[in-house]
Amino acid sequence: GAGVSQTPSNKVTEKGKYVELRCDPISGHTALYWYRQSLGQGPEFLIYFQGTGAADDSGLPNDRFFAVRPEGSVSTLKIQRTERGDSAVYLCASSLRIRGLGETQYFGPGTRLLVL
Amino acid sequence: AQTVTQSQPEMSVQEAETVTLSCTYDTSESDYYLFWYKQPPSRQMILVIRQEAYKQQNATENRFSVNFQKAAKSFSLKISDSQLGDAAMYFCAYRSENGNSGYALNFGKGTSLLVTP
């Protein structure tokens, strides 16, 4: 089946604006993860969902960042009052479950966010 | 928190040769998973290989194999018969099994692999 998809592929915005990044996971995957990858770094965890609920949001850097997954499938990462330091690639991953076999995370192609 | 260290920012290998990428990690847990992901310029993170910590046998996937040394907390990736398409960033990642430190992946900073003809 189809893999994880993310839209838009690239997003350019101005400092102070609001942006939404979308992730469409693999069908049937109950766990969904958001990561942020700055230039020259490995991805860093932001938040993950098990079903509709945010099971762990400890990686969100501040209250300008928020994510939802209202129907347990598509997720949206929302960033308010964007800052230049928010510029990065935002990666989404999904897995069949969290624990044990089947928890391997499959990644989307990411959204490159540039805040001017 | 677990830390993952990749000490080689860049590596180079000739086509058809073998290269080994290093990874060490720090943890107090006994149950966990280790992964190698490949990230080409397209940005798509692709799973290369994974290892369950409770398994003593090293994982192998075709030309890719690992050397997992649990006591030394070392998890190196060996690529045999290197191909031009292997050129990419390679990330080592750690994940807890029991959720004590969450279920997200902890990544190293990556190793850029260059394959020369």
Side-chain angles (χ1 to χ4, degrees):
Chain A
V4 178
S5 62
Q6 292 186 246
T7 54
S9 178
N10 296 281
K11 175 70 176 179
V12 180
T13 191
E14 294 180 344
K15 180 175 177 294
K17 298 289 188 182
Y18 168 84
V19 296
E20 288 190 351
L21 311 179
R22 175 189 169 109
C23 172
D24 204 332
I26 293 172
S27 178
H29 279 194
T30 59
L32 185 146
Y33 304 78
W34 283 99
Y35 295 86
R36 179 168 70 174
Q37 186 176 20
S38 300
L39 192 63
Q41 302 293 318
E44 294 179 327
F45 167 70
L46 294 176
I47 185 172
Y48 82 83
F49 293 85
Q50 176 63 14
T52 60
D56 183 355
D57 64 358
S58 62
L60 294 177
N62 52 59
D63 61 5
R64 295 187 298 104
F65 288 75
F66 189 70
V68 296
R69 195 186 186 198
E71 298 179 357
S73 177
V74 171
S75 176
T76 304
L77 179 66
K78 308 179 180 191
I79 310 174
Q80 299 176 324
R81 304 182 304 280
T82 52
E83 299 177 356
R84 292 192 180 88
D86 298 335
S87 297
V89 173
Y90 289 81
L91 295 168
C92 176
S94 70
S95 67
L96 190 57
R97 63 174 71 91
I98 288 180
R99 297 198 62 177
L101 294 176
E103 75 73 39
T104 297
Q105 296 178 28
Y106 297 90
F107 283 80
T111 294
R112 184 182 298 279
L113 175 66
L114 177 60
V115 181
L116 301 177
Chain B
Q2 286 72 26
T3 56
V4 177
T5 302
Q6 294 180 249
S7 58
Q8 306 154 316
E10 294 180 351
M11 290 285 284
S12 180
V13 64
Q14 276 196 319
E15 209 175 356
E17 296 296 311
T18 296
V19 64
T20 298
L21 308 184
S22 301
C23 173
T24 58
Y25 57 94
D26 182 25
T27 185
S28 59
E29 299 178 323
S30 58
D31 295 324
Y32 50 87
Y33 296 99
L34 295 165
F35 303 83
W36 279 98
Y37 279 88
K38 169 185 176 182
Q39 187 178 41
S42 66
R43 298 198 308 247
Q44 182 93 43
M45 295 282 277
I46 302 165
L47 178 67
V48 175
I49 199 166
R50 84 175 209 176
Q51 175 83 40
E52 291 89 347
Y54 65 86
K55 289 187 177 179
Q56 293 185 343
Q57 186 173 7
N58 289 324
T60 299
E61 288 288 343
N62 300 314
R63 298 183 295 107
F64 299 88
S65 61
V66 299
N67 183 4
F68 173 48
Q69 301 289 329
K70 191 172 184 179
K73 298 178 184 175
S74 171
F75 183 61
S76 61
L77 174 69
K78 185 171 82 170
I79 306 174
S80 304
D81 185 25
S82 296
Q83 301 175 359
L84 294 177
D86 295 334
M89 284 292 291
Y90 285 81
F91 290 95
C92 178
Y94 171 103
R95 184 189 177 279
S96 176
E97 161 60 16
N98 58 21
N100 284 347
S101 56
Y103 291 110
L105 293 166
N106 287 314
F107 287 89
K109 289 189 174 183
T111 296
S112 177
L113 179 65
L114 174 67
V115 182
T116 57

